[in-house]
Structures are given as structure tokens and as C-alpha cells.
Amino acid sequence: MFKNIRHYGVCLHRYAGLMMTLFLVVAGLTGSIIAFYDPLDQMVSPQLYQVSESDKRLQMIDPLVLRERLLAKYPEIQVQWVPLKPTDNKAIRFSITPSINPSTGESYQLTYDELFVNPYTGDIQGKRMRGKISDGIENLIPFLFKLHYQLALGQVGAYLMGVIGLLWTIDCFIGACLTFPRKTRQQAAQKEKRASRFIWLKRWLPAWKIRMHSTNRYKLNFDLHRAVGLWTWGMLFVLAWSSVAFNLNKEVYQPVMHFLFETQEMRPEALRQLQPNQHPHLSYAEAKSVAERYLNVYNPQHLRQVQPFGMSYLPKLGVYQYRFVSNQDISSSRGNTRLFIHADTGKIVDVYVPLGKASGDTFTTWIRTLHMADCWGVPFKIFISVMGIVLSMLSVTGFIIWFRKRQAQR
């Protein structure tokens, strides 16, 4: 019985690995680069980000004012997300979506989806279609991000990478189980004894070792695949399951997490207040004032605002989302604490706390933050970059193991 289960496990691990090899190599290599997305993008495209020293002597313009100026100058665009965090003397990057042409009722066709605005003068320093590598070198890092996230194939590629992430998550457990030592008659006879667990661990220990002195290349390749996979198993699982969270969030991740853990959901009475609204009564500035006043007066759930991160309008729900870095965030640079403000009444509809309120959301916050290397500074970014190379190495060594065995069988 055990032999049959192990045989099926080997087959699943082998063929799942073969299916994922190319995708994981691409994801690993691109991930090792985009762990340093912002500094690399600024290095490759300095003309988009750099602000002159003379401009820095001026007072910084409120990002909400910059948004209004953009909308007045370009009626064909929408700016739903507004970054509110200080940009360290760099241009502000606004994400752009097309607005509706009133004469045709259809969306405008845009040749760009990002605008870079000087926060001191309001001048536009550049435009680009994010990830369109044919437009020039300034799209290199965004292209690598799209390659990592969706193979640069749009939504179809995102779903495909989500399926790969799900298969990878399952394969993490199969691969780990295959490293366990096989049962022996002696161990079966001693399984009731307390000492048997130590015997089992002692027999499992070689799986964690690499025979560096071995002259057999196959053994060295096999040890690299098995031992390094065990050493990094926890982080590999985090990367795999968080990939499902990014790419198949509503389809797979949320239902599974809701079944296994407690998660924050908008209250039914709050949901009844919401409906699609394309023309909100409150402006962005008014919604921001409501959020700041609420945080200063009520201090909900002992939240302390460290700094604002950004805000957006969600027309499908008719609410503003105000995001800020709080004492309940892991990252000090990317705020995940959120207030939802009714766009007509100005009432606080709901509060989302990333840590401590619901176990499922705490887990999700951690794995997303770890995947994006958004904590613990440069050392952890280097670690994630190395993990990308390790992932590629594991995929290649797994392919070599299969190829050598197939040659031997022939």
C-alpha cells in the first residue's frame, strides 16, 4: 500500500515538475530582479523620476491637486489611485485608465497608462505604457514584472500563472513527503516504541545533506534538488501560495482561506448601503479629510496612523478607499490598513486591519509582504532575489533528474 502511494507521489511530482519547469524558471529569474523594482526602474529610466535641485527648493504640491490638474489637462483619462506617501524628491507616478468618450459612449484609446509628474512644479516628465518593451528601454523593468506576473500575456497569462502557483503549492507537500525515509521491517516492528521517532529522524537526516565529495554528477544534482528544496521549503510554500493569492484570489484563494480561517468581511448592514456610483458627492480631498478626522477623533481598534499611503475611488461600490501605514502593518513603506468611506454620505463604512483582527487576513498579509520583499529592508530583498535563483535551480535540477532517468530507461 505504502509503495503504491509513493509510486503515485513520484509520478505526480515528476510530471507536475515537468509542466512547471519553464514557468518557474521564468518566474524565479524575473523575481530575483524585480525584488529591487523601484531602484532598478529609477536607474534604467532616470529621466522619468529625477527632479532638478532647483525644483526641490519649491514647496511640494498636494498629490490631490496634481490629480485635478491632470484631469483638467487630459479629459480622456481617469486617475482612480492617488499616492499620498512622500516620494523622496522623485516624480510621482500616476496610474492612468481611459475615461468614457461622451460622444461615442466607449473608452478612449490611450497610448500610455502611467504619467510621471514633478511634485514641485506639476510638470509632466514623461509617459509610458507600462511593460510595452517595444517603446524603449524605460519599459524594461515593468516588462520583467509583467513577465513574472502574467508572462506578458495579459489576463490569460495571469490565470495561467495562478494555476501554476496552485499546482506548485500542492507539489510542495508531495515533494516534501517524497524525502521521507521508506519504512523498513525493523522500523515497523519498533513503531510502538518511543525511540522509533529518533530512528526515523536519523534516517531522514541524509535527505538534508549534499554529498559534495561525490564524483557522481547525478548524485550531486539529485542532492541539490532534494536538500536545497528541504532547506528552503517554508519560503517556497510562501511564494507558491501567495502566487495563488495574487493571480487566483477570488477564484481559489479567498474561498479556501475563508473555509480554513477567520477572515474580515464587510458587514451585511454596510453592504446594504453600497451601490455603484459613477458620480460621487464627495471629492477626494473631502474623503481624505473625513478619514483623517475619524482616525484622530475615534482611534478605531487602537489604530495609529504612521503616514498616509494612498487613496482611490471604487465606483462599483460607491466608496473611497483610504490606505495608510499603521501600527498594525508589517511594511513601513506600503500601507495595508484601510478605511472605506461612503462617497455620498461621508460615513465610515468599514475598517480593514491587516494584522491581529482575523487569523486568515494576518496570514495573507504576511505571505503577500514576504513575496513582495516589502519588509526588513535591503537584506530581505537580497534573500528574495537569491530565492528566485534557487527556484530556477530546483526546476532545472528536477528536469535533469527526469532526463537522466529517461535516458537510462532507453
Side-chain angles (χ1 to χ4, degrees), residues 142-161:
F143 172 75
L144 292 178
F145 176 85
K146 285 195 170 184
L147 199 60
H148 177 81
Y149 173 65
Q150 54 182 212
L151 299 174
L153 295 176
Q155 192 59 45
V156 173
Y159 283 134
L160 178 58
M161 291 300 281

Side-chain angles (χ1 to χ4, degrees), residues 49-340:
Y49 289 94
Q50 287 182 357
V51 176
S52 68
E53 292 299 323
S54 59
D55 290 342
K56 293 177 185 177
R57 299 189 185 98
L58 304 174
Q59 185 176 1
M60 188 175 287
I61 303 171
D62 189 323
L64 296 180
V65 174
L66 293 176
R67 174 184 178 272
E68 295 300 322
R69 292 184 184 181
L70 289 176
L71 295 178
K73 187 174 183 178
Y74 300 99
E76 70 275 13
I77 70 172
Q78 295 184 75
V79 184
Q80 302 288 21
W81 171 257
V82 181
L84 299 176
K85 182 190 171 188
T87 55
D88 297 327
N89 299 322
K90 298 288 192 302
I92 299 178
R93 182 176 61 202
F94 285 94
S95 295
I96 304 301
T97 55
S99 63
I100 302 298
N101 188 334
S103 60
T104 63
E106 297 181 355
S107 298
Y108 284 102
Q109 297 297 315
L110 301 179
T111 58
Y112 57 93
D113 60 6
E114 285 186 335
L115 285 173
F116 294 81
V117 182
N118 187 315
Y120 300 96
T121 65
D123 295 336
I124 295 173
Q125 299 195 172
K127 307 175 184 178
R128 71 178 177 189
M129 180 64 75
R130 189 168 182 254
K132 190 177 180 182
I133 193 65
S134 59
D135 284 352
I137 192 66
E138 67 268 13
N139 274 300
L140 175 61
I141 305 302
F143 172 75
L144 292 178
F145 176 85
K146 285 195 170 184
L147 199 60
H148 177 81
Y149 173 65
Q150 54 182 212
L151 299 174
L153 295 176
Q155 192 59 45
V156 173
Y159 283 134
L160 178 58
M161 291 300 281
V163 172
I164 294 298
L166 181 59
L167 188 60
W168 180 17
T169 303
I170 298 170
D171 193 51
C172 280
F173 292 95
I174 296 174
C177 290
L178 291 177
T179 67
F180 295 163
R182 300 184 182 186
K183 288 184 178 180
T184 64
R185 291 182 180 179
Q186 181 184 2
Q187 187 182 17
Q190 294 179 340
K191 65 180 181 180
E192 298 298 331
K193 297 181 180 180
R194 185 176 181 182
S196 63
R197 70 184 64 176
F198 299 105
I199 294 174
W200 186 88
L201 288 172
K202 185 177 180 181
R203 296 179 61 239
W204 192 33
L205 185 61
W208 295 76
K209 297 180 179 179
I210 298 176
R211 292 166 285 189
M212 300 297 295
H213 59 278
S214 176
T215 57
N216 188 320
R217 290 186 179 180
Y218 176 80
K219 288 183 179 180
L220 178 60
N221 185 82
F222 181 82
D223 287 351
L224 283 171
H225 184 77
R226 183 177 61 176
V228 177
L230 282 173
W231 297 343
T232 59
W233 189 91
M235 198 64 217
L236 290 173
F237 170 74
V238 166
L239 294 174
W241 188 229
S242 57
S243 299
V244 181
F246 286 121
N247 293 62
L248 294 176
N249 188 40
K250 293 182 179 179
E251 295 82 0
V252 176
Y253 185 83
Q254 284 187 4
V256 171
M257 295 300 291
H258 182 68
F259 177 76
L260 295 176
F261 301 100
E262 179 189 6
T263 56
Q264 295 175 74
E265 293 183 332
M266 199 169 285
R267 302 183 305 276
E269 61 271 19
L271 286 171
R272 285 194 291 269
Q273 302 176 36
L274 305 181
Q275 57 185 355
N277 184 0
Q278 296 294 332
H279 305 286
H281 177 71
L282 292 181
S283 67
Y284 271 74
E286 289 170 331
K288 181 187 175 186
S289 297
V290 169
E292 291 176 340
R293 185 167 61 251
Y294 178 78
L295 289 171
N296 291 331
V297 174
Y298 293 100
N299 190 22
Q301 300 169 18
H302 305 289
L303 288 178
R304 177 171 54 82
Q305 178 179 231
V306 178
Q307 63 180 5
F309 178 64
M311 63 182 299
S312 61
Y313 180 62
L314 309 178
K316 291 184 178 180
L317 296 176
V319 296
Y320 282 98
Q321 177 186 209
Y322 179 83
R323 287 178 59 180
F324 58 98
V325 179
S326 77
N327 55 330
Q328 297 298 323
D329 272 299
I330 300 171
S331 173
S332 60
S333 61
R334 187 185 301 272
N336 280 310
T337 313
R338 306 169 196 180
L339 295 181
F340 295 93

